[in-house]
Structure formats: C-alpha cells, structure tokens
C-alpha cells in the first residue's frame, strides 16, 4: 500500500465527511436554492460533489467523453439521503482501487479525453483539489448568500 495515496485518500475522506456534516444542517428545500441564476443550485452542487470521486476516477482511467456523458446521465441523486450515500459509495470505489495500485501503476500516465496527461497519482491529487474546491464553494454559498454558516471546522 502506498502511504502517499493513503494520506491523499484520508484528506479526501475528511473533505467529504465535512461536506456530509454541512449537509446535516440543510433541509431538502435548501437543495433548490440557486444563488446565481445561471449557476448550479445547492442540490446540483452537492450532487456534483457526490459524483467527483467516481467521475474523476473514470477520467483517470482514460474514459472517453461518450463514456463520461453516459455516466453523468445515469447518475443522479434526488435528495440529501441519496447524495450522502453517493458520497460514501463513490469514495469507496476510489479508495478501494487506489489502495491496491502498485507503484508502477501509480506512475502510469493517463490522458484525459480533453488531452491532459497525468500519472495516476497526480489524478488522485487532482481529485483531492476538486473535492476541496467545491466544498469551499458550498460553504461560501451557504455563508454569504443564505446566512447559513455551518460553523464547523473545515480542516482537521
């Protein structure tokens, strides 16, 4: 087991756990709130966060644009419970695979459908950054647009 992967996965898990804690303070009606007319609602943002681990994992495996479109069109969550379940399940898929990669597999370069090439390990770091980015967006939207500061520690 690669200790760097284990550490990166731990940080993703922390970010998702904190996202789940924020969700515990929301009502189903909050999912419809849209702070900017042409941007995602809170529910759409949470759904995106729940899909990141699996979607970005698929991209890190070299999925084509058609495969990604199929994935997104078949992966929807309708409520807070489904979103929280998606967070856990999709993280489990990512974690289970990355903990079993060999050092050689982690250094293998994979090119995304839009032409960016990273090693598998670098894709894991990209997933970490992606999760933290959107968790920060969620916190900012709730705090600054809806005066619903979750008042939780965002980092451990």
């Amino acid at each position: 087991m690669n200790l760097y992967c284990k550490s990166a996965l731990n940080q993703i898990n922390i970010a998702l756990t904190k996202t789940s804690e924020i969700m515990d303070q929301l009502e189903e009606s909050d999912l419809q709130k849209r702070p900017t007319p042409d941007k995602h609602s809170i529910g759409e943002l949470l759904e995106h966060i729940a899909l990141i681990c699996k979607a970005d994992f698929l991209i890190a495996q070299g999925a084509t644009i058609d495969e990604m479109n199929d994935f997104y069109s078949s992966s929807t969550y309708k409520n807070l419970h489904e979103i929280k379940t998606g967070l856990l399940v999709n993280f489990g898929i990512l974690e289970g695979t990355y903990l079993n990669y060999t050092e050689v597999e982690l250094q293998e370069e994979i090119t995304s459908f839009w032409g960016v090439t990273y090693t598998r390990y670098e894709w894991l770091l990209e997933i970490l950054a992606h999760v933290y980015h959107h968790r920060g967006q969620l916190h900012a939207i709730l705090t600054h647009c809806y005066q619903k500061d979750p008042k939780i520690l965002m980092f451990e």
Side-chain angles (χ1 to χ4, degrees):
M1 169 189 343
N2 181 293
L3 293 178
Y4 295 111
C5 282
K6 187 175 178 184
S7 295
L9 288 162
N10 181 56
Q11 291 301 308
I12 294 170
N13 187 47
I14 289 168
L16 295 175
T17 299
K18 296 298 182 176
T19 301
S20 183
E21 289 176 20
I22 292 171
M23 290 174 62
D24 288 340
Q25 299 179 33
L26 299 178
E27 304 293 329
E28 292 294 332
S29 60
D30 291 325
L31 298 180
Q32 304 307 313
K33 292 178 178 171
R34 188 178 303 275
T36 307
D38 62 337
K39 297 296 181 184
H40 292 306
S41 68
I42 290 171
E44 290 165 341
L45 177 58
L46 284 168
E47 183 177 39
H48 180 70
I49 294 169
L51 291 171
I52 288 172
C53 286
K54 186 167 183 188
D56 287 9
F57 169 72
L58 293 172
I59 291 167
Q61 300 307 304
T64 66
I65 191 165
D66 290 334
E67 290 169 330
M68 292 310 300
N69 287 334
D70 288 346
F71 168 73
Y72 283 119
S73 67
S74 66
S75 303
T76 60
Y77 305 120
K78 296 173 182 54
N79 56 51
L80 289 166
H81 175 74
E82 288 183 9
I83 293 168
K84 285 180 100 171
T85 300
L87 285 172
L88 293 171
V89 169
N90 293 331
F91 175 72
I93 291 166
L94 178 72
E95 181 181 46
T97 304
Y98 264 87
L99 287 178
N100 289 301
Y101 277 143
T102 65
E103 198 62 39
V104 170
E105 290 170 319
L106 287 170
Q107 294 309 314
E108 184 180 344
E109 291 186 340
I110 308 291
T111 301
S112 69
F113 63 83
W114 65 90
V116 171
T117 301
Y118 292 137
T119 65
R120 279 200 175 99
Y121 180 69
E122 287 175 305
W123 280 114
L124 181 62
L125 297 179
E126 188 71 20
I127 294 166
L128 172 62
H130 195 181
V131 169
Y132 270 91
H133 164 72
H134 287 302
R135 187 195 65 177
Q137 279 185 320
L138 175 65
H139 186 271
I141 288 168
L142 291 172
T143 301
H144 301 294
C145 297
Y146 296 107
Q147 291 67 52
K148 290 187 127 189
D149 184 346
K151 298 189 185 326
I152 63 167
L153 292 174
M154 298 294 280
F155 300 93
E156 292 186 349

